[in-house]
Amino acid sequence: MTRLCTTEGLTEDQSEILKAVRAFVDKEIIPVANELEHADEYPTDIIEGLKELGVFGLMIPEEYGGLGESLLTYALCVEEIARGWMSVSGVINTHFIVAYMLMQHGTEEQKQKYLPKMAVGDVRGAFSMSEPGLGSDVSAISTKATKADDGSYEITGQKMWLTNGATSTLVACLVKTDEGSDSVYKNMTTFLIEKEAGFGETAQGVTVPGKIDKMGYKGVETTELVLEGHKISADQILGGEPGKGFFHMMDGVEVGRVNVAARACGLAWRGFELAVEYAQQRKTFGKIIADHQAVLFRLAEMATKVEVAHTMMVRAARLKDKGERMDVEAGMAKMVASEYANEVVEDAFRIHGGYGYSKEYEIERLMREVKFMLIGEGTSDIQKMIIGRQLLKEYKI
């Protein structure tokens, strides 16, 4: 399909970056994705290749060793990567959010310390907000940082659902602090926790248990993070000022929603590719199934959904790049892209018939992976709440 909203307005550098990533996906990811996913094996060689392409530093400014590209460029690259294997885009996603939060809110010392190493993938980021006892209710966070007499802090608690939990060496972790505010949202602080890669006790008072076994989203590890009296200096507070953590995290989640929308677009795109290819090979009743009106109509609807989701994702990214508010647009893009991706992949599965249920076929993997898009960075119900509340403000009578 010709994707005008992708190609229009891109610079020569953006087009070349996108072309290089697409070629890498076709050559290095798609041929091995099923094998690695079924083995739940970390894609080490793929990650090394993406490091060489500069993907880990796409949005990091050139002064810190990155490429200094836009959110749009990043999102289009993520869409390509997710088209190859969604799990790989997950490795990039959490790293990107941490780097973005540092760029937007970190002190100059924190930027100098971490961003150059993050740009080349030597320091890998993980994003930690959720806990075992909460979902979207961030105010219910119980992990606590207690301030000591010397100005340092001691963190105790349990965090949940860390992508890159083991391979990361820097975790942006949201915890409760007592800053004396009446608002619970002003009593949260983001700490930059350093640790070693791996499982077990990876730093004093920091333990990463084994991988959480998941239905899909395999290859990349998802873990818990247990903090037991972890001592950390005040210098590791993002931005240097306690009590700002909730707002830092929400800023990260907003661009993260564009990221998840891009990942969902990549899955939908791949689902459509597999379906339209199979429909032109498989024959029933003496003709290819693409010639049956029911299948032809389904393909038409799938292609339309792929384009609609992609267009909304691009629009949200462009708004952010202009410096405009885009919480509603990001929520809309995430909701539409995830729901349409689920529908497109399921339709591709139906077109494959019985073969779609076989692990020999790629669509089986996509069926398991796409479900994560429905809950990552907030469910569709959460997006509807965000969108609806803002609409009531704009159209208040």
Side-chain angles (χ1 to χ4, degrees), residues 298-331:
R298 181 163 280 164
L299 290 172
E301 291 176 358
M302 292 165 68
T304 303
K305 290 174 180 177
V306 169
E307 288 298 312
V308 169
H310 173 81
T311 302
M312 294 193 71
M313 179 271 291
V314 167
R315 179 170 181 265
R318 288 191 189 276
L319 284 174
K320 188 69 173 180
D321 287 333
K322 291 179 182 178
E324 297 181 21
R325 180 171 180 171
M326 43 76 84
D327 52 342
V328 169
E329 288 78 8

Side-chain angles (χ1 to χ4, degrees), residues 50-305:
L50 291 175
K51 285 168 64 175
E52 292 180 14
L53 281 176
V55 171
F56 280 88
L58 262 176
M59 282 189 66
I60 294 176
E62 292 181 3
E63 62 186 288
Y64 299 110
L67 297 179
E69 276 296 335
S70 64
L71 178 60
L72 175 62
T73 308
Y74 176 82
L76 293 175
C77 288
V78 166
E79 182 182 33
E80 294 283 354
I81 293 168
R83 170 180 156 265
W85 183 13
M86 192 274 288
S87 291
V88 177
S89 66
V91 175
I92 308 297
N93 178 35
T94 49
H95 176 87
F96 151 72
I97 292 176
V98 176
Y100 173 82
M101 290 169 63
L102 274 163
M103 290 186 294
Q104 296 297 115
H105 308 291
T107 64
E108 185 56 35
E109 290 76 13
Q110 290 169 346
K111 294 176 184 178
Q112 293 285 353
K113 182 179 181 181
Y114 294 117
L115 289 180
K117 293 181 179 179
M118 295 185 79
V120 295
D122 289 345
V123 167
R124 304 265 280 283
F127 176 83
S128 178
M129 186 165 60
S130 188
E131 295 184 1
L134 63 94
S136 300
D137 183 10
V138 182
S139 66
I141 282 176
S142 60
T143 299
K144 182 91 184 252
T146 304
K147 193 172 185 178
D149 293 337
D150 63 359
S152 65
Y153 289 80
E154 189 172 285
I155 306 177
T156 297
Q158 185 178 4
K159 309 299 286 186
M160 193 70 173
W161 306 118
L162 274 77
T163 301
N164 292 344
T167 51
S168 62
T169 53
L170 181 68
V171 181
C173 185
L174 184 65
V175 305
K176 284 276 183 72
T177 48
D178 186 6
E179 304 305 329
S181 173
D182 292 335
S183 171
V184 65
Y185 297 106
K186 294 181 180 179
N187 281 325
M188 297 184 195
T189 300
T190 301
F191 281 90
L192 301 171
I193 298 176
E194 296 181 358
K195 67 179 190 64
E196 296 293 324
F199 294 99
E201 188 168 8
T202 57
Q204 181 273 322
V206 178
T207 301
V208 179
K211 291 191 295 186
I212 298 170
D213 194 17
K214 309 182 296 291
M215 176 176 73
Y217 199 15
K218 294 186 179 285
V220 56
E221 81 281 0
T222 305
T223 75
E224 299 175 67
L225 181 72
V226 180
L227 301 157
E228 298 177 293
H230 174 62
K231 294 182 180 179
I232 190 167
S233 71
D235 293 341
Q236 295 302 107
I237 293 175
L238 180 63
E241 184 180 354
K244 303 287 187 181
F246 175 78
F247 306 101
H248 295 161
M249 285 281 173
M250 290 304 102
D251 191 21
V253 167
E254 187 174 277
V255 293
R257 287 189 176 120
V258 175
N259 188 296
V260 172
R263 294 163 72 185
C265 287
L267 275 169
W269 187 3
R270 186 58 180 165
F272 171 77
E273 285 182 328
L274 294 173
V276 76
E277 179 181 344
Y278 184 82
Q280 295 175 84
Q281 296 173 344
R282 175 70 167 165
K283 290 185 177 181
T284 61
F285 303 102
K287 59 182 178 180
I288 58 172
I289 62 174
D291 285 341
H292 294 290
Q293 190 179 71
V295 175
L296 188 66
F297 281 13
R298 181 163 280 164
L299 290 172
E301 291 176 358
M302 292 165 68
T304 303
K305 290 174 180 177

